[in-house]
C-alpha cells in the first residue's frame, strides 16, 4: 500500500498534526533538516528518531557500479574518525536505542531510534559516520563476503527472484532493471577507490536530508545539527536521468528453480510517485490484494482455487514505477493464474462498489495511523515525502487525493495503464514442471493479450460543443467523478482593447459584475453564493474578460441562474462603483510600493511603448477616477455582448440538460451586428481594439531603464519580446524557460547555489494575442547587482550559443508535464482551459494535447527558440534599486526620483 509509505489515507478527519507540523531548515552548505517535534497523541513519549536520507540509490549507479550504493551503506558501519568498527552500533545501543540502514532504488537511509535524552549523541554519531568514514581494506574484504552471502540468500528466495526478474524484463534501459544489491560479479570488483569516489560524489550536504521526530527541542536539534554537519561539503550531484522507452508489446520471462510452487508476477508501468494518477492506482492495489478480503485472495484463491496466494502492490518511485500483481500457484495452474490476475484487475473498470471504495479508504487511513504511532514511523513518512515527493508535507496533499478518488477514477486508471502493450510477466517454475521456459513465456504473452483484449471500455467524460442562434459558443464536458460543476464565460478583451483614457475599465467591470444583479444588491448576491455553497466572480487580464464560478453538483442549476443574472442584468450601482474605484486606487498605490511589480511595469512600459500591454491592468488614478456609471455600462454592453461569449461547463452534469438550460437562459440575447462590432473598433469612448504589436527598442539608452526606491534589495528584469498564444514555437519556448528557471534550472544553480548572488531568480514566458514577453527576474543586494546581471547575461548567452543537454530537456519536459497535470486536476482548471482555447481560436480540445506537444519538443527546437527570442539587440533591462549615489547614475534614470509624489508614471 503506497499510503503506508506516504503516511496518507482517505479518512474524512483532518490529518494528525505530526504529518504537517514540520519545521524545515536549510543550512549554508545546503543540508536540509526537517523536525517533526511532539507526539500526535498528545503524550510526551520519551523517544526520538533520527534519520539521514541520502539521495542516492541503485538508480544512480552505472552498470559497472551495480550495488555500490549498498556496499557503502554497509561500510559506513565499519568505522569513522570518531568511532571504530562496531562502535557506532554499540554507542546507540548503549543509549537504549537501535540503529540500522537500508538502500533502495532512489535513496540510502540511516535510521536510529532511542531515548530523547540522547538526541545529541545520535546526531553526533550519524554526523561522524556520514562525514568522516574510514575505508579499511581488510574490513572491505570481510564485508564483501557478507554482501555476497546476502546475494546468495536472495537468490534462494523465489519471491525476491521473481520480483527481480519482473523489473529486469519490464525495464530495458532504466537502472530500476538492476537489483539494488548488485550482482556477485560487480560486488567482487569494488575496491577502495570506487567506494571513495562514489561517496565523495553523493554524500554531500545538498544531497542529504536529516529528519528528527519525537519529543525534542527544535532549537537544540538545530544547534546540534549545525555543529556536527557544518563541515560537510556542499555540492549537488548530477542525477542520472535514463528515459525508459515506451513498451510496445507484452513481455514474458520464466525460469526453472528447485521450488514446489510456481511464483508469478504481472507488472504494468505506472507514473512516478507524485503523479495525480497514483492515488487511484493505490486504491486499486488495496481493492485487489492488500488484505485477506481483497479481490485476488477472495476470488482466485478461495472461490476459484486457481492460486494459493495473491497480492497487489504499487511501486511508486522517484521515476515511473510498476503496478505488480503477484501469485503463487500449483504448477499446473501457473498459466491460469496469469490470466486470473489480469482478469480480476480489469473488473475494477466496471464492478467497484461504493462499499469497496469506502473500505479501501479505511485501509489507507489505518496504515497512516499505524505509521504515526511511533517516532520512527513519523520520521520515515516525512523523509519519504521530502526526498521522493519533494515536499515533507506531501502526505496532506496525498490524503486529499485519496479522498477525491471515485469509482470513475479507478476505472480510468485501469483503462489507462492495464494494457497488453504495457504488461510484463515473470515466473519462477518448479523444475519438475513439464515444458520449456520459452514455451511458458510465449503462452503467458498470449494469455495477457487475450485477457486485455476483452477489457471493458471505460466511458470517458462526454464532451459537446454547440453554437447558440445568436453566436454564443457553449462547450459542456461531463465528468461525474467528483460532485462539482465549474463554469467559465470568456470574451476576448481586457487590457488589450482599452485605450489610455479608459485603462482599467475591464478591471472595474470584473470587480462589479457580481456586486448586484437583477433584483439583488451586492449583499444579497454574496448571501446567495454562500447558500449555494459556491463561488462566483469576475476576472480580467491582458487579453480577456470573464466570469468564473464553481458549484456543488446539487446546486449547479440555481448557480447557473445567478451566473446568468450577473451576465445579463448587472446593476453597476453608483455606490458600488464609487467603492470599487476607491479600492482600485488603493491597490494602485500598494502596487507602487512593491518593487517586484514596479520592475515588471517599468519593463513593460519600455518594451511595449504605446501598445496597451504597456499599461497596468489596474489602470491609472486618472483613467479609473474619470470612469462614470454610464461609461461602465456602455463599455460592458458594447465590448462584452452575450453573442460573443464562450461558455464552458465542466463537471457532474447531464449534457443535454445543460444545453437546454443555457439556451433558455442566454439564447434570447441579441446577436451582435457587423456594424456594432465595427463600432467597437472605432468609437473612442468604447476603447478601440489594439492590434499594434510590441515595437522593438532600438536605441541603447532605451534598453536599460531604472527606477529608484528606498528598499534593501535591488530588483531586475531582463526581457525580450515573446510569443503569441498560437505561435508554433511556444512549447519550445516553455521548455527553454524551464531549463533556465526553477530550483533545478541553470539560473538558480549558477546565481544562487554556486555564486550566492541572489535570493530569488526566475524565468518567465508570458504569451498574448499579440506578442508577449520572455524575461528573467531576480532580487539581490544592491552591491551584488553588477555581478548578478553579468551572470544572467552569461547564462542567456550560453543557452543561446550552445545546445541544452538531453538531460536538461528530459527534466524540463517532465517538470512542465507534471506541473500541468497537477494544475489540471480541478474542474475549474479544465473549464478555464476549454474556454480560453476556444476564445483565442486555438480549438477547444487542444488543451488536452499539451503533454504531447511538450514531449515533441527537441533539443534543436529549444536552440531555435533561444535564437529567435533571446536576441541581444532586443533585450530590455529594467532595474529597481535604492537611489544611486553618483550624479551620472541619477542622470541615466528616465523616471522621476523616489522622493517625488507617487503617480502612475512612477510605477
Amino acid at each position: 500500500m503506497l499510503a503506508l509509505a506516504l503516511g496518507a489515507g482517505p479518512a474524512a478527519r483532518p490529518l494528525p498534526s505530526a504529518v504537517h507540523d514540520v519545521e524545515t531548515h536549510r543550512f549554508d552548505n545546503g543540508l536540509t533538516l526537517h523536525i517533526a517535534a511532539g507526539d500526535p497523541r498528545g503524550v510526551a513519549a520519551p523517544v526520538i528518531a533520527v534519520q539521514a536520507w541520502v539521495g542516492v540509490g541503485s538508480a544512480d549507479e552505472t552498470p559497472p557500479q551495480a550495488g555500490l550504493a549498498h556496499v557503502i551503506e554497509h561500510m559506513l558501519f565499519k568505522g569513522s574518525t570518531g568511532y571504530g568498527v562496531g562502535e557506532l552500533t554499540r554507542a546507540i545501543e548503549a543509549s537504549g536505542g537501535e540503529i540500522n540502514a537500508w538502500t533502495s532504488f532512489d535513496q540510502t537511509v540511516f535510521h536510529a531510534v532511542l531515548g530523547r535524552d540522547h538526541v545529541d549523541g545520535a546526531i553526533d554519531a550519524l554526523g561522524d559516520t556520514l562525514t568522516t568514514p574510514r575505508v579499511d581494506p581488510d574490513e572491505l574484504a570481510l564485508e564483501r563476503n557478507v554482501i555476497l552471502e546476502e546475494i546468495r540468500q536472495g537468490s534462494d528466495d523465489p519471491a525476491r527472484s521473481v520480483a527481480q526478474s519482473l523489473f529486469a524484463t519490464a525495464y530495458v534501459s532504466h537502472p530500476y532493471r538492476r537489483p539494488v544489491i548488485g550482482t556477485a560479479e560487480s560486488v567482487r570488483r569494488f575496491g577502495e577507490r570506487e567506494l571513495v569516489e562514489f561517496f565523495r560524489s553523493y554524500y554531500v550536504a545538498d544531497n542529504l536530508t536529516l529528519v528528527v521526530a519525537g519529543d525534542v527541542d527544535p532549537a537544540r536539534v538545530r544547534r546540534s545539527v549545525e555543529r556536527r554537519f557544518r563541515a560537510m561539503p556542499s555540492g549537488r550531484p548530477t542525477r542520472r536521468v535514463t528515459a525508459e522507452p515506451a513498451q510496445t508489446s507484452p513481455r514474458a520471462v520464466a525460469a526453472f528453480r528447485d521450488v514446489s510452487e510456481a511464483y508469478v508476477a504481472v507488472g504494468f508501468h505506472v507514473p512516478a510517485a507524485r503523479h495525480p494518477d497514483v492515488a487511484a492506482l493505490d486504491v486499486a492495489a488495496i481493492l485487489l490484494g492488500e488484505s485477506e478480503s481483497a479481490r485476488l485472495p477472495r476470488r482466485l484463491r478461495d472461490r476459484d482455487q486457481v492460486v494459493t496466494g495473491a497480492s497487489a502492490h504499487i511501486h511508486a518511485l522517484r521515476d515511473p514505477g510498476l503496478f505488480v500483481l503477484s501469485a503463487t500457484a500449483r504448477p499446473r495452474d501457473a498459466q491460469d493464474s496469469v490470466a486470473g490476475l489480469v482478469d480480476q484487475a480489469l473488473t475494477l473498470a466496471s464492478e467497484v462498489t461504493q462499499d469497496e471504495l469506502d473500505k479501501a479508504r479505511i485501509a489507507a487511513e489505518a496504515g497512516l495511523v499505524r505509521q504515526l504511532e511511533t517516532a520512527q514511523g513519523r520520521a520515515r513518512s516525512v523523509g519519504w515525502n521530502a526526498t521522493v515527493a519533494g515536499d515533507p508535507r506531501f502526505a496532506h496533499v496525498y490524503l486529499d487525493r485519496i479522498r477525491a478518488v471515485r469509482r470513475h477514477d479507478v476505472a480510468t486508471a485501469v483503462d489507462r495503464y492495464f494494457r497488453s502493450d504495457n504488461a510484463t510477466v515473470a515466473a519462477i517454475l518448479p523444475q519438475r514442471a513439464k515444458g520449456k521456459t520459452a514455451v511458458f513465456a510465449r503462452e503467458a504473452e498470449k494469455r495477457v493479450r487475450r485477457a486485455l483484449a476483452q477489457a471493458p471500455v471505460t466511458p470517458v467524460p462526454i464532451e459537446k460543443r454547440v453554437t447558440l442562434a445568436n453566436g454564443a459558443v457553449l462547450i459542456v464536458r461531463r465528468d461525474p467523478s467528483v460532485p462539482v460543476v465549474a463554469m467559465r464565460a470568456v470574451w476576448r478583451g481586457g487590457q488589450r482593447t482599452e485605450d489610455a483614457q479608459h485603462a482599467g475599465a475591464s478591471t472595474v467591470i470584473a470587480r462589479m459584475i457580481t456586486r448586484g444583479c437583477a433584483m439583488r444588491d451586492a449583499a444579497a448576491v454574496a448571501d446567495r453564493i454562500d447558500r449555494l455553497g459556491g463561488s462566483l466572480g469576475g476576472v480580467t487580464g491582458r487579453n480577456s474578460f470573464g466570469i468564473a464560478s464553481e458549484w456543488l453538483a446539487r446546486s449547479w442549476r440555481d448557480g447557473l441562474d445567478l451566473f446568468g443574472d450577473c451576465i445579463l442584468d448587472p446593476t453597476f450601482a453608483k455606490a458600488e462603483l464609487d467603492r470599487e474605484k476607491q479600492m482600485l486606487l488603493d491597490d494602485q498605490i500598494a502596487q507602487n510600493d512593491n518593487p517586484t511589480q514596479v520592475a515588471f511595469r517599468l519593463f513593460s512600459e519600455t518594451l511595449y511603448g504605446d501598445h496597451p500591454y504597456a499599461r497596468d491592468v489596474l489602470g491609472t488614478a486618472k483613467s479609473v477616477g474619470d470612469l462614470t456609471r454610464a461609461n461602465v455600462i456602455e463599455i460592458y454592453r458594447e465590448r462584452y455582448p452575450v453573442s460573443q461569449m464562450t461558455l464552458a461547463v465542466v463537471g457532474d452534469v447531464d449534457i443535454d440538460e445543460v444545453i437546454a438550460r443555457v439556451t433558455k437562459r442566454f439564447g434570447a440575447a441579441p446577436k451582435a451586428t457587423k456594424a456594432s462590432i465595427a463600432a467597437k473598433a472605432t468609437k473612442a469612448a468604447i476603447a478601440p481594439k489594439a492590434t499594434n504589436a510590441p515595437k522593438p527598442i532600438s536605441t541603447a539608452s532605451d534598453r536599460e531603464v531604472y527606477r529608484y526606491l528606498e528598499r534593501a534589495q535591488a530588483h531586475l528584469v531582463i526581457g525580450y519580446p515573446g510569443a503569441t498564444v498560437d505561435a508554433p514555437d511556444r512549447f519550445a519556448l516553455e521548455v527553454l524557460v524551464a531549463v533556465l528557471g526553477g530550483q533545478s534550472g541553470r539560473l538558480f544553480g549558477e546565481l544562487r547555489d554556486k555564486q550566492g548572488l541572489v535570493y530569488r531568480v526566475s524565468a518567465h514566458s508570458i504569451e498574448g494575442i499579440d506578442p508577449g514577453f520572455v524575461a528573467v527576474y531576480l532580487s539581490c543586494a544592491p552591491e551584488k547587482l553588477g555581478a548578478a546581471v553579468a551572470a544572467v547575461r552569461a547564462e542567456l548567452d550560453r543557452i543561446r550559443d550552445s545546445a541544452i543537454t538531453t538531460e536538461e530537456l528530459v527534466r524540463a519536459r517532465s517538470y512542465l508535464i507534471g506541473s500541468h497535470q497537477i494544475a489540471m486536476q480541478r474542474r475549474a482548471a479544465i473549464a478555464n482551459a476549454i474556454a480560453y482555447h476556444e476564445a483565442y481560436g486555438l480549438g477547444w480540445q487542444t488543451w488536452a494535447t499539451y503533454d504531447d506537444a511538450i514531449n515533441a519538443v527537441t533539443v534543436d527546437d529549444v536552440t531555435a527558440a533561444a535564437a529567435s527570442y533571446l536576441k541581444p539587440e532586443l533585450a530590455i533591462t529594467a532595474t529597481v534599486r535604492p537611489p544611486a549615489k553618483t550624479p551620472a547614475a541619477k542622470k541615466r534614470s528616465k523616471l522621476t526620483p523616489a522622493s517625488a509624489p507617487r503617480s502612475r508614471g512612477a510605477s
Side-chain angles (χ1 to χ4, degrees):
M1 181 191 307
L2 176 63
L4 290 175
L6 290 180
R13 296 187 298 275
L15 277 169
S17 60
V19 174
H20 47 79
D21 288 349
V22 180
E23 286 190 23
T24 299
H25 305 276
R26 187 170 174 87
F27 296 92
D28 291 342
N29 61 356
L31 182 143
T32 300
L33 167 66
H34 300 297
I35 305 173
D39 187 297
R41 299 163 299 174
V43 178
V47 175
I48 59 101
V50 180
Q51 297 185 358
W53 290 67
V54 187
V56 61
S58 62
D60 300 289
E61 301 164 344
T62 63
Q65 294 175 329
L68 188 52
H70 178 251
V71 172
I72 289 177
E73 174 222 308
H74 276 242
M75 288 303 298
L76 290 188
F77 284 86
K78 306 300 286 186
S80 59
T81 299
Y83 295 85
V85 177
E87 290 182 0
L88 171 65
T89 302
R90 288 194 292 272
I92 297 297
E93 291 180 350
S95 301
E98 303 171 353
I99 188 169
N100 213 324
W102 78 78
T103 304
S104 67
F105 286 130
D106 298 323
Q107 65 271 131
T108 305
V109 182
F110 299 83
H111 53 100
V113 57
L114 64 170
R116 64 185 173 196
D117 294 336
H118 303 285
V119 62
D120 294 322
I123 292 171
D124 181 78
L126 277 177
D128 198 75
T129 299
L130 296 173
T131 57
T132 58
R134 294 184 300 189
V135 180
D136 184 284
D138 294 334
E139 291 297 331
L140 176 59
L142 291 172
E143 203 61 28
R144 182 186 293 114
N145 289 331
V146 171
I147 295 171
L148 291 173
E149 286 300 321
E150 190 177 353
I151 292 174
R152 284 188 283 270
Q153 181 182 14
S155 68
D156 290 338
D157 182 349
R160 178 179 292 186
S161 294
V162 76
Q164 291 179 348
S165 180
L166 178 69
F167 273 78
T169 308
Y171 293 95
V172 297
S173 298
H174 197 284
Y176 288 164
R177 71 186 315 270
R178 298 191 294 269
V180 172
I181 200 171
T183 65
E185 292 73 20
S186 63
V187 170
R188 288 192 182 100
R189 288 196 302 266
F190 298 147
E192 296 173 64
R193 187 181 67 181
E194 287 82 5
L195 267 67
V196 170
E197 290 178 353
F198 196 85
F199 177 86
R200 288 176 175 171
S201 297
Y202 290 100
Y203 280 70
V204 290
D206 294 272
N207 202 39
L208 176 62
T209 299
L210 288 178
V211 183
V212 179
D215 186 24
V216 296
D217 175 6
R220 176 182 174 184
V221 169
R222 287 197 306 273
R223 290 193 299 269
S224 185
V225 169
E226 184 173 19
R227 181 174 59 252
R228 193 62 194 81
F229 285 88
R230 68 161 61 103
M232 192 173 201
S234 59
R236 179 173 294 179
T238 302
R239 181 69 60 216
R240 297 191 179 280
V241 180
T242 304
E244 177 66 23
Q247 189 172 334
T248 57
S249 62
R251 302 169 185 161
V253 63
F256 288 120
R257 296 281 181 86
D258 184 15
V259 294
S260 58
E261 287 188 302
Y263 290 78
V264 176
V266 182
F268 301 92
H269 292 280
V270 294
R274 198 176 173 88
H275 193 283
D277 285 352
V278 170
L281 290 165
D282 193 5
V283 170
I286 297 170
L287 290 166
L288 284 171
E290 294 198 351
S291 71
E292 282 296 296
S293 64
R295 291 190 175 200
L296 295 181
R298 183 162 45 87
R299 296 183 179 184
L300 295 184
R301 183 193 64 193
D302 301 339
R303 185 189 68 185
D304 301 337
Q305 298 185 357
V306 175
V307 303
T308 57
S311 63
H313 186 74
I314 178 173
H315 293 268
L317 306 168
R318 184 180 66 200
D319 295 332
L322 288 182
F323 189 105
V324 179
L325 307 169
S326 303
T328 54
R330 291 173 290 275
R332 67 177 184 271
D333 294 326
Q335 287 288 1
D336 290 339
S337 69
V338 173
L341 289 171
V342 175
D343 286 341
Q344 291 304 317
L346 293 179
T347 63
L348 295 182
S350 59
E351 295 182 12
V352 177
T353 67
Q354 189 61 46
D355 182 64
E356 283 183 297
L357 195 61
D358 293 340
K359 188 176 176 182
R361 290 170 169 172
I362 292 172
E365 182 183 3
L368 165 66
V369 173
R370 286 194 296 270
Q371 189 168 37
L372 296 180
E373 192 173 13
T374 65
Q376 57 269 39
R378 298 197 297 279
R380 181 166 182 168
S381 174
V382 171
W384 192 95
N385 285 311
T387 59
V388 178
D391 179 1
R393 300 163 185 83
F394 182 70
H396 193 72
V397 175
Y398 191 74
L399 174 60
D400 288 340
R401 292 181 181 176
I402 287 289
R403 286 173 174 167
V405 170
R406 300 295 187 266
R407 287 174 288 179
H408 169 83
D409 298 309
V410 176
T412 299
V414 168
D415 186 54
R416 182 172 294 158
Y417 300 107
F418 293 6
R419 310 185 317 270
S420 63
D421 61 357
N422 192 40
T424 300
V425 180
I428 302 295
L429 305 174
Q431 289 178 343
R432 66 178 184 275
K434 296 180 180 180
K436 298 180 180 179
T437 56
V439 174
F440 179 92
R442 285 196 297 271
E443 181 60 25
E445 290 178 3
K446 291 179 182 178
R447 292 285 186 110
V448 168
R449 286 184 189 274
R450 285 199 298 269
L452 292 169
Q454 299 168 1
V457 177
T458 304
V460 296
I462 300 171
E463 301 173 320
K464 191 170 184 179
R465 179 188 184 278
V466 297
T467 302
L468 305 188
N470 57 16
V473 174
L474 168 65
I475 302 164
V476 188
R477 176 183 172 92
R478 181 177 183 271
D479 183 352
S481 57
V482 179
V484 170
V485 178
M487 303 174 187
R488 189 65 176 252
V490 170
W491 291 259
R492 280 200 184 199
Q495 175 186 352
R496 179 175 173 273
T497 59
E498 297 171 347
D499 59 12
Q501 182 182 353
H502 299 91
S506 293
T507 299
V508 172
I509 294 170
R511 293 188 178 196
M512 290 195 65
I513 198 74
T514 59
R515 300 292 298 173
C517 61
M519 301 300 293
R520 295 185 178 92
D521 61 13
V525 172
D527 180 74
R528 183 64 172 160
I529 293 170
D530 291 342
R531 290 182 184 278
L532 293 175
S535 63
L536 176 63
V539 290
T540 192
R542 288 156 40 107
N543 304 285
S544 65
F545 166 83
I547 302 175
S549 69
E550 288 184 79
W551 313 101
L552 298 176
R554 65 175 181 266
S555 64
W556 75 265
R557 296 166 185 85
D558 292 332
L560 177 63
D561 287 340
L562 184 60
F563 187 84
D565 285 343
C566 289
I567 293 174
L568 296 169
D569 193 16
T571 57
F572 297 122
K574 184 179 183 304
E576 292 295 334
L577 175 61
D578 293 341
R579 173 181 174 276
E580 292 298 334
K581 286 168 58 174
Q582 184 56 55
M583 292 179 65
L584 196 55
L585 295 174
D586 291 340
D587 289 344
Q588 292 174 8
I589 293 172
Q591 186 168 276
N592 289 337
D593 289 334
N594 185 313
T596 300
Q597 293 181 341
V598 171
F600 272 102
R601 180 54 45 220
L602 179 60
F603 166 76
S604 295
E605 290 170 349
T606 308
L607 174 64
Y608 291 111
D610 294 332
H611 191 282
Y613 285 172
R615 297 190 289 271
D616 196 290
V617 71
L618 300 183
T620 67
K622 177 170 174 44
S623 65
V624 171
D626 289 346
L627 280 176
T628 66
R629 182 172 182 269
N631 293 148
V632 171
I633 292 173
E634 186 177 15
I635 291 172
Y636 177 69
R637 296 299 181 200
E638 292 292 335
R639 181 58 58 188
Y640 305 119
V642 168
S643 61
Q644 293 185 25
M645 172 182 71
T646 298
L647 173 60
V649 179
V650 177
D652 189 6
V653 294
D654 178 83
I655 234 171
D656 292 331
E657 182 184 3
V658 172
I659 293 173
R661 287 179 175 271
V662 169
T663 301
K664 181 178 180 180
R665 198 77 177 86
F666 297 103
K671 182 176 183 178
T673 64
K674 291 183 178 179
S676 67
I677 294 173
K680 279 181 263 178
T682 59
K683 197 172 183 182
I686 308 174
K689 183 177 179 181
T691 57
N692 51 311
K695 297 177 181 178
I697 305 300
S698 57
T699 62
S701 61
D702 283 343
R703 288 205 297 267
E704 295 187 11
V705 291
Y706 296 81
R707 170 75 166 95
Y708 300 117
L709 290 178
E710 288 285 0
R711 297 292 187 273
Q713 283 193 312
H715 299 258
L716 177 94
V717 177
I718 298 178
Y720 311 80
T724 58
V725 294
D726 58 353
D729 57 359
R730 64 189 184 278
F731 299 108
L733 181 58
E734 280 198 58
V735 173
L736 170 67
V737 169
V739 170
L740 285 170
Q743 292 193 9
S744 58
R746 289 188 178 187
L747 293 170
F748 193 93
E750 181 65 26
L751 274 75
R752 176 164 169 170
D753 285 350
K754 186 176 179 181
Q755 298 190 42
L757 293 173
V758 302
Y759 175 67
R760 287 189 296 170
V761 62
S762 55
H764 308 269
S765 175
I766 306 299
E767 302 158 0
I769 293 178
D770 295 328
F773 65 83
V774 55
V776 173
Y777 163 77
L778 65 84
S779 62
C780 65
E783 63 271 17
K784 295 182 179 180
L785 184 59
V789 172
V792 170
R793 288 175 174 165
E795 288 301 318
L796 293 174
D797 290 342
R798 182 163 74 96
I799 204 166
R800 184 175 56 245
D801 298 338
S802 58
I804 65 172
T805 66
T806 301
E807 179 181 342
E808 288 178 310
L809 176 66
V810 171
R811 178 196 65 79
R813 291 192 307 201
S814 297
Y815 169 76
L816 289 171
I817 290 171
S819 298
H820 181 257
Q821 290 170 342
I822 291 170
M824 299 307 294
Q825 294 178 90
R826 298 189 61 204
R827 279 76 197 142
I830 297 174
N832 286 350
I834 290 174
Y836 282 120
H837 279 70
E838 176 69 17
Y840 292 163
L842 303 175
W844 62 278
Q845 292 179 313
T846 54
W847 72 272
T849 64
Y850 179 84
D851 293 5
D852 293 337
I854 292 295
N855 271 326
V857 174
T858 66
V859 169
D860 290 342
D861 293 333
V862 177
T863 300
S868 177
Y869 290 99
L870 305 183
K871 294 179 179 180
E873 65 272 18
L874 298 182
I876 303 292
T877 301
T879 305
V880 175
R881 56 163 299 157
K885 301 301 183 183
T886 65
K890 291 181 180 178
K891 186 176 180 180
R892 293 179 66 188
S893 174
K894 298 174 60 182
L895 301 174
T896 56
S899 58
R902 286 194 184 94
S903 71
R904 180 61 185 84
S907 64

